[in-house]
Amino acid sequence: MTAWPPDAQTCLPVDNERATLVGRVFGPEGPCVVTVRDRAVVDISSTFATVRDLAEHEQPAAAVNAAEGRVLGSVADILAATPVEHRTTAGVYLLSPIDLQTVKAAGVTFVVSMVERVIEERCGGNSARAAEMRVQMADLIGGDFDELRPGSAEAARLKEAMVAAGTWSQYLEVGFGPDAEIFTKASPMSTVGTAMDVGIHPGSLWNNPEPEVVLLVSSSGRIVGATLGNDVNLRDFEGRSALLLSKAKDNNASAALGPFIRLFDDTFTLDDVRETVVRLDVRGTDEFILHGTSSMNEISRDPEDLVQQMMGSTHQYPDGAVLFLGTMFAPVQDRGADGQGFTHHLDDVVAISASHFGTLVNRVRTSDVCERWTFGIADLMRSLAARGLL
């Protein structure tokens, strides 16, 4: 299992010597855009003041590889200094690898997670009813939806039949209908990185991690790279009402990304994203262990389609965006009493990994005790201006 804090061997991709990796750190002078070379973290802020600027470049990977910079330390040392309790005023620690991008997420993009959302809805967010409802849903829905294409004539016929039977759901609508669920997960600058705490609302009694691939998208809608993410989810809040989505999804430290963005180049393309297998490991202080996987080749909507639905003639993002692509993983393994399913405990260590990306590792705390988000866009602009980087 992954240690806390994580080490460089765990966090870096298996082929890290070939990968074009970019991220951000906070140093004594302020936030810096960095790349990784020979397991050293190199400041390239003199070339790219922000990750937003980098994503707008015609050839981001080539530009990063050509950029000159100064070594700030090894990946191992900076990882060790990243947990809030390990930081010093003179030290360098990792940040989320994005900055000015809008943080968007696609929901209900896998059949398994779609069914779980319907279960949440039907049991009103009460985890004690989930096991019973899961059996009822299997009988109610039946069939194999894996081959059903969203927005197709077959999907429309299924909807018509289920509406007539009174079994249709808003989650089935975005799972099978023509329009994807794309929502705003968090504000720019609010995400956390690896070796940092993720936040669960203190009022939640039923929640889980959501291991996902996250795309980095330029202002023109061009996908330039990807990373891993944890779209922390409160199943009880959203189950009570879909109108509580913002409260279920957007809390202090509730969106984690990293450890680094892998830019597209000759060694890594969108096709590699389409075939990525994301692994999840949760280790609790109660000795509870949870393992799971999410295979991107089982996604119901292609990543390019999701980006086109997020950004286009009706919706623009001049600073670009990142898009969580969704997960097929909704843990049902009982952690306590039979039928209660999974929920987080404080100090769980969550590791989300994939061979092309490395491992995003976070520790679970409640959002009210996680490090407060105080450094925003205005602070970043002042810091960059003071260093002559704007």
Side-chain angles (χ1 to χ4, degrees):
M1 293 297 293
T2 303
W4 181 264
D7 56 33
Q9 183 67 32
T10 299
C11 283
L12 291 175
V14 293
D15 60 342
N16 62 88
E17 71 285 348
R18 301 169 63 234
T20 305
L21 303 175
V22 294
R24 295 170 64 243
V25 303
F26 202 101
E29 299 174 347
C32 303
V33 177
V34 299
T35 187
V36 177
R37 296 172 181 164
D38 297 325
R39 300 203 174 199
V41 175
V42 180
D43 177 8
I44 57 171
S45 297
S46 60
T47 302
F48 295 110
T50 65
V51 175
R52 179 268 179 202
D53 293 336
L54 189 158
E56 295 300 306
H57 196 279
E58 262 186 41
Q59 297 181 308
V64 165
N65 290 326
E68 296 183 357
R70 56 174 180 146
V71 174
L72 298 177
S74 69
V75 173
D77 288 345
I78 291 174
L79 274 171
T82 296
V84 64
E85 67 272 20
H86 294 177
R87 293 182 200 164
T88 65
T89 55
V92 178
Y93 59 90
L94 277 177
L95 296 170
S96 166
I98 64 169
D99 40 46
L100 301 181
Q101 291 82 7
T102 297
V103 184
K104 307 292 285 189
V108 199
T109 53
F110 290 83
V111 170
V112 172
S113 62
M114 177 190 67
V115 173
E116 286 299 313
R117 295 292 85 78
V118 177
I119 289 168
E120 290 168 15
E121 178 186 41
R122 291 183 178 271
C123 69
N126 182 355
S127 63
R129 297 183 56 208
E132 171 194 355
M133 194 60 63
R134 199 166 284 114
V135 173
Q136 293 182 20
M137 283 297 299
D139 293 337
L140 178 66
I141 296 178
D144 185 0
F145 290 156
D146 289 350
E147 300 302 318
L148 195 62
R149 185 168 56 84
S152 65
E154 292 83 0
R157 284 193 289 270
L158 173 66
K159 175 181 179 178
E160 184 178 349
M162 294 186 74
V163 167
T167 58
W168 191 246
S169 162
Q170 58 197 335
Y171 293 105
L172 297 174
E173 176 64 44
V174 294
F176 291 143
D179 299 314
E181 179 191 20
I182 307 288
F183 61 92
T184 299
K185 166 66 179 180
S187 301
M189 301 286 293
S190 69
T191 58
V192 298
T194 201
M196 300 173 74
D197 294 332
V198 290
I200 299 292
H201 191 286
S204 175
L205 300 177
W206 187 20
N207 46 69
N208 62 266
E210 292 197 348
E212 307 187 20
V213 173
V214 184
L215 300 179
L216 175 64
V217 185
S218 74
S219 63
S220 66
R222 182 169 53 111
I223 307 169
V224 300
T227 187
L228 296 172
N230 184 356
D231 177 17
V232 179
N233 183 48
L234 310 183
R235 301 192 69 179
D236 45 2
F237 280 43
E238 187 177 356
R240 280 161 42 207
S241 171
L243 297 181
L244 291 174
L245 179 66
S246 62
K247 192 152 191 173
K249 290 291 190 179
D250 188 4
N251 297 289
N252 182 41
S254 66
L257 294 104
F260 299 97
I261 294 165
R262 184 161 186 174
L263 297 175
F264 291 161
D265 58 16
D266 292 341
T267 72
F268 180 66
T269 68
L270 188 58
D271 283 338
D272 292 307
V273 170
R274 293 184 173 107
E275 295 301 318
T276 294
V277 176
V278 180
R279 294 175 293 277
L280 171 71
D281 295 283
V282 178
R283 172 172 52 86
T285 58
D286 58 351
E287 300 184 354
F288 175 86
I289 294 176
L290 176 71
H291 301 293
T293 59
S294 185
S295 299
M296 282 294 298
N297 61 14
E298 295 186 40
I299 197 168
S300 58
R301 301 180 193 267
D302 187 74
E304 283 189 316
D305 173 48
L306 290 170
V307 170
Q308 289 167 6
Q309 294 210 35
M310 173 186 73
M311 181 185 297
S313 61
T314 61
H315 219 150
Q316 297 83 44
Y317 298 98
D319 291 317
V322 292
L323 178 62
F324 284 76
L325 292 177
T327 183
M328 65 179 289
F329 186 70
V332 298
Q333 178 181 337
D334 288 333
R335 188 167 194 173
D338 290 347
Q340 292 292 309
F342 170 85
T343 196
H344 272 305
H345 288 191
L346 296 182
D347 294 324
D348 279 352
V349 174
V350 180
I352 296 170
S353 60
S355 59
H356 288 303
F357 298 108
T359 307
L360 169 67
V361 185
N362 300 102
R363 180 178 55 188
V364 175
R365 298 286 175 89
T366 53
S367 291
D368 55 333
V369 300
C370 285
E371 183 180 12
R372 293 178 66 83
W373 173 37
T374 60
F375 194 96
I377 294 173
D379 298 290
L380 176 62
M381 294 299 104
R382 293 187 190 103
S383 175
L384 295 175
R387 288 178 276 161
L389 297 176
L390 288 183

